[in-house]
Amino acid sequence: MPGRMNRERARDEKTPVLWMVVHGLIASAIGIAVGLAIQWFPEQASTQADTIDHLYDVLIWTSVPVFVTVSIIVLFSVRNFKMRPGEEQLDGPPIHGNTRLEVIWTAIPAIVLVVLCSYAWVVLTDIEEAHANEMRINVVGQQFAWTFEYPQAGGKPVKSTQLYLPKDRPVRFYVKALDVIHDFWVPAFRMKIDAVPGIETKYRITPSRLGTYPVVCAELCGLGHAVMRSQTHVVSPTQFNTWLADQKAPAAATAGGKVDAKQLFTDGNGTATACGACHKLADAGTQGQTGPDLDKALAGKDAKFIEQSITAPDAEVASGFQPGIMPKNYSDTLSQEELQALVKYLGEVAGK
Ligand code: CUA
């Protein structure tokens, strides 16, 4: 009978609340401990990273108890208020609202949200603060490569597919996309922003640790999304200046000796991505699977075809492969000498 059931439940009311609170506290403590113990992010390589990681920890502290509270109430209700034999035709006890409860469950989440939003806003203002002596770098995303432009070099901007940054110098990235939406992300710096065709997005970081860190595209942008990766090299200011000077005069850098085309093929040149990363070529010993096997695709082809395959890769795409996967920026990132050396080399060795 419904009357008897209600009385039984009323009698147990105090015990389950205590049970839920105790289990909730234990589960929250375990959840928070696990959440904080897991190394979610790579090593911190920017001055912004620590503030952001701290915000993340605070979110763990807050969200784990919320998740536990909801789960415990759901599990408790499933166990205690389920239909028992003989209750098939019965409705639950009529409830017409409980003002006190409703105020509590509206007010608490509202307060939590306002506090967290305010904190996040303070963090965002803090990490986005402008610095004197800020360096501008343009980041261009296209299917499926990143190009970094250094306009402060004077005259024609230096372009590179690898990102070089001097340690401790504040940088502001101006991010653009040429085709679809990409997302410029260096996990070690923590910051990340969409590259959207038609608009310019921006963010600031100050690299604080020497080393090499991955650049990732964090927005699904097509078949080559997974290979749209590059490297950030945080180097000393002196090394950076040397690198930039080398980039400004690529012809001079290679003028002394002949271009080693095989090495260019396997390693790239610091700005152009290595061909061997995506292509198989017996002579160079590379095993890339992303693009066509060049011993097959280029066998017996003339220099004109090979050059077009490098500078305008979508003009003719090998069967079984999709257009748009290979970066279209090789005419920018290879010097004329390097391009010709590569064409000559491929003509000599492909398919032999
Ligand atoms: Cu570009 Cu994903």
Side-chain angles (χ1 to χ4, degrees):
M1 284 289 100
R4 187 168 56 84
M5 246 161 42
N6 286 344
R7 254 174 283 131
E8 264 176 21
R9 279 173 195 173
R11 199 180 56 215
D12 292 338
E13 214 170 68
K14 282 272 160 6
T15 333
V17 170
L18 186 66
W19 183 92
M20 284 196 286
V21 170
V22 170
H23 284 78
L25 288 174
I26 296 172
S28 298
I30 295 174
I32 291 169
V34 171
L36 295 178
I38 294 174
Q39 199 70 44
W40 298 100
F41 303 113
E43 239 157 343
Q44 300 176 342
S46 75
T47 54
Q48 283 75 4
D50 193 45
T51 327
I52 293 169
D53 289 0
H54 195 253
L55 170 66
Y56 194 81
D57 287 347
V58 171
L59 289 180
I60 288 180
W61 274 100
T62 346
S63 53
V64 168
V66 170
F67 176 75
V68 166
T69 305
V70 172
S71 307
I72 284 203
I73 292 175
V74 167
L75 291 174
F76 175 82
S77 306
V78 166
R79 182 176 168 275
N80 287 41
F81 303 128
K82 69 181 175 213
M83 189 187 70
R84 292 180 172 84
E87 292 184 350
E88 288 86 350
Q89 305 301 322
L90 297 177
D91 239 341
I95 292 172
H96 292 293
N98 183 325
T99 312
R100 190 168 56 152
L101 259 186
E102 284 167 22
V103 167
I104 291 174
W105 79 45
T106 308
I108 292 181
I111 292 168
V112 170
L113 276 181
V114 168
V115 169
L116 286 180
C117 288
S118 311
Y119 174 40
W121 184 77
V122 169
V123 168
L124 196 61
T125 318
D126 181 32
I127 57 182
E128 280 284 281
E129 204 188 343
H131 296 275
N133 154 41
E134 202 167 71
M135 180 166 79
R136 175 186 175 129
I137 296 178
N138 299 328
V139 177
V140 182
Q142 63 176 308
Q143 291 172 323
F144 295 97
W146 295 107
T147 309
F148 305 101
E149 295 178 1
Y150 295 76
Q152 77 287 356
K156 209 176 147 216
V158 164
K159 291 183 185 181
S160 168
T161 57
Q162 303 265 311
L163 177 60
Y164 279 79
L165 299 172
K167 185 175 172 281
D168 298 327
R169 169 95 183 263
V171 185
R172 191 168 200 200
F173 296 110
Y174 292 73
V175 184
K176 278 194 286 197
L178 298 185
D179 37 37
V180 299
I181 301 178
H182 303 273
D183 192 298
F184 173 55
W185 185 28
V186 180
F189 295 157
R190 302 296 188 271
M191 301 290 284
K192 161 174 175 295
I193 204 159
D194 271 2
V196 183
I199 66 170
E200 191 173 55
T201 51
K202 306 172 188 87
Y203 72 74
R204 297 185 163 98
I205 57 110
T206 305
S208 59
R209 193 171 179 280
L210 296 174
T212 300
Y213 310 100
V215 176
V216 180
C217 176
E219 180 66 57
L220 190 59
C221 55
L223 275 172
H225 164 68
V227 295
M228 190 167 165
R229 286 172 165 260
S230 178
Q231 306 254 290
T232 308
H233 306 271
V234 179
V235 296
S236 73
T238 325
Q239 283 172 313
F240 176 78
N241 290 335
T242 313
W243 173 81
L244 198 61
D246 280 354
Q247 301 306 304
K248 269 197 269 188
T254 49
K258 260 186 83 223
V259 176
D260 183 344
K262 191 199 259 190
Q263 198 195 356
L264 186 60
F265 185 91
T266 45
D267 300 338
N269 65 2
T271 56
T273 310
C275 316
C278 293
H279 293 285
K280 199 171 168 186
L281 182 71
D283 186 74
T286 59
Q287 300 293 329
Q289 301 276 322
T290 308
D293 177 344
L294 296 183
D295 287 313
K296 291 185 186 134
L298 297 184
K301 300 288 187 181
D302 61 9
K304 208 172 144 228
F305 179 87
I306 298 174
E307 182 172 339
Q308 175 190 272
S309 303
I310 299 171
T311 56
D314 285 349
E316 204 168 316
V317 178
S319 78
F321 290 88
Q322 297 287 332
I325 310 270
M326 178 159 155
K328 294 181 244 332
N329 59 357
Y330 278 105
S331 41
D332 282 337
T333 54
L334 292 173
S335 70
Q336 193 55 32
E337 261 174 305
E338 287 172 324
L339 178 63
Q340 292 314 323
L342 208 49
V343 169
K344 183 158 171 277
Y345 168 69
L346 286 168
E348 283 166 8
V349 304
K352 305 280 153 55

